[in-house]
Amino acid sequence: MQAIRAGFVGLGAMGWSMAAHLHQRGLLAAVANRSRDKAERFAAGHAGVVAAGVDTIAQNCNVIALCVSADADVLGVSRAIAANAAPGTVVVDHSTVSSTTARAAAELLRAAAGDFVDAPVSGGVEGAKNGKLSVMAGGDVATVERVRPVLDAYAARVTHMGPVGAGQNTKAVNQVLIAGIAQAVTEGLALGEALGLDPAALLPTLGAGAAGNWFLEKRGATMLANQFSVGFKLGLLHKDLGIVRELALAAGTDRSVIEKSLADYAELMARGHADEDISALIRLKRPQV
Ligand code: NAP
């Protein structure tokens, strides 16, 4: 089997750190990003890595990981890779998109004698930085095994969930939990704040008991200090929940958390907060003046 020459497309809050882990493992040959300056900055700081266009990456790399924004980006990049790649090239997509998009991208790659794995991730920017992401993979077993050294560079756990699309369906379930936990934690902490409870005592007390969770631990103190610059842009969660809504509608399951969260994040986006972390939801939980 050919040695892996990896490329990475999408050097944002998640992708930058994931690409850096690939570089550390000696697997990364080239990077690309929509705004070219980011790719050039990355290449300047990581010896041996070149900043390139997607077409050049497709010609020179045999495993290409993506962590771009939304469905149209995954389809556009996959189309460009399929048009330029050698047979056997595998695209591994870490973006959160619909399972329909994942299957369409897989068709593009397979028509070019390549293959595709949908591999959305959970663990936040901290998980990407520490190389401790949970990867939910969909694709042929042999293809997932082929790209395993790439996934292992930034994953604490890789789970093969089924054929292409199964990774994104798993991520959709994950996003319902993310949205619900954000609703509960922001509402609870807004109440604690209004009752005058000291955050220095409140946060560790909550965290030590049955209410403890990742979001409270990582975002509790920052949201109470009105710092919303880190993490997961709420505009991206709004995009994810649109995908989740379609799945829940088709499945006929309850959508209370999904609809409430869609409405809340739409309100925050209308107020100009789309690029803030999802913990900015606390803005709507505080007494409205
Ligand atoms: P981000 O910070 O907005 O980064 C997205 C990056 O992708 C940007 O650098 C952007 O370039 C680049 N990009 C977008 N479209 C592109 C295209 N067509 N071609 C090349 N590059 C393109 O977002 P993120 O937080 O890293 O999230 C990326 C994906 O992972 C999203 O689907 C998100 O839902 C998912 N995700 C995020 C988290 C999280 O905690 N942040 C966790 C799990 C999954 P520009 O510099 O030009 O904008």
Side-chain angles (χ1 to χ4, degrees):
M1 199 179 284
Q2 261 190 327
I4 288 178
R5 265 179 77 76
F8 204 101
V9 182
L11 300 169
M14 298 294 288
W16 184 285
S17 301
M18 293 163 80
H21 283 292
L22 274 180
H23 174 255
Q24 257 174 26
R25 298 274 174 118
L27 296 173
L28 188 65
V31 291
N33 192 69
R34 183 171 51 196
S35 49
R36 175 87 188 208
D37 60 309
K38 252 189 220 172
E40 273 156 14
R41 254 191 296 128
F42 186 97
H46 297 83
V49 178
V50 298
V54 171
D55 45 356
T56 311
I57 289 194
Q59 286 153 10
N60 292 294
C61 298
N62 50 19
V63 177
I64 303 165
L66 321 182
C67 195
V68 295
S69 309
D71 296 63
D73 302 303
V74 171
L75 288 173
V77 172
S78 296
R79 199 168 286 116
I81 292 172
N84 290 283
T89 301
V90 182
V91 168
V92 184
D93 179 31
H94 298 300
S95 326
T96 304
V97 296
S98 72
S99 44
T100 308
T101 291
R103 286 188 287 269
E107 271 179 37
L108 289 169
L109 266 299
R110 286 172 182 169
D115 207 354
F116 180 92
V117 174
D118 55 313
V121 295
S122 183
V125 291
E126 289 84 352
K129 274 192 191 125
N130 303 335
K132 299 269 183 241
L133 293 168
S134 177
V135 178
M136 354 188 152
D140 285 349
V141 179
T143 310
V144 174
E145 275 315 299
R146 162 83 178 125
V147 302
R148 187 82 196 210
V150 168
L151 303 178
D152 283 343
Y154 35 73
R157 179 189 170 94
V158 177
T159 314
H160 181 233
M161 296 301 301
V164 168
Q168 292 297 353
N169 281 345
T170 308
K171 176 75 183 188
V173 174
N174 188 79
Q175 296 313 74
V176 179
L177 274 67
I178 294 285
I181 291 166
Q183 287 287 346
V185 173
T186 55
E187 201 162 304
L189 293 192
L191 178 61
E193 192 178 60
L195 296 175
L197 296 171
D198 177 6
L202 178 64
L203 294 174
T205 303
L206 297 174
N213 64 78
W214 187 98
F215 186 66
L216 175 69
E217 185 195 324
K218 307 284 189 214
R219 304 286 180 259
T222 48
M223 77 175 83
L224 287 174
N226 286 315
Q227 290 164 12
F228 305 120
S229 60
V230 289
F232 183 30
K233 291 174 189 156
L234 64 89
L236 288 176
L237 182 57
H238 184 267
K239 171 260 303 177
D240 297 352
L241 291 171
I243 295 166
V244 176
R245 173 197 263 160
E246 294 306 309
L247 288 172
L249 271 169
T253 52
D254 179 62
R255 302 192 309 283
S256 312
V257 168
I258 300 167
E259 297 297 345
K260 167 75 175 142
S261 302
L262 274 165
D264 285 349
Y265 292 118
E267 171 66 26
L268 288 167
M269 288 160 73
R271 294 189 196 179
H273 301 300
D275 286 343
E276 291 185 348
D277 182 74
I278 63 170
S279 54
L281 182 60
I282 198 169
R283 291 179 184 281
L284 300 185
K285 303 292 187 182
R286 290 172 168 148
Q288 303 293 297
V289 283

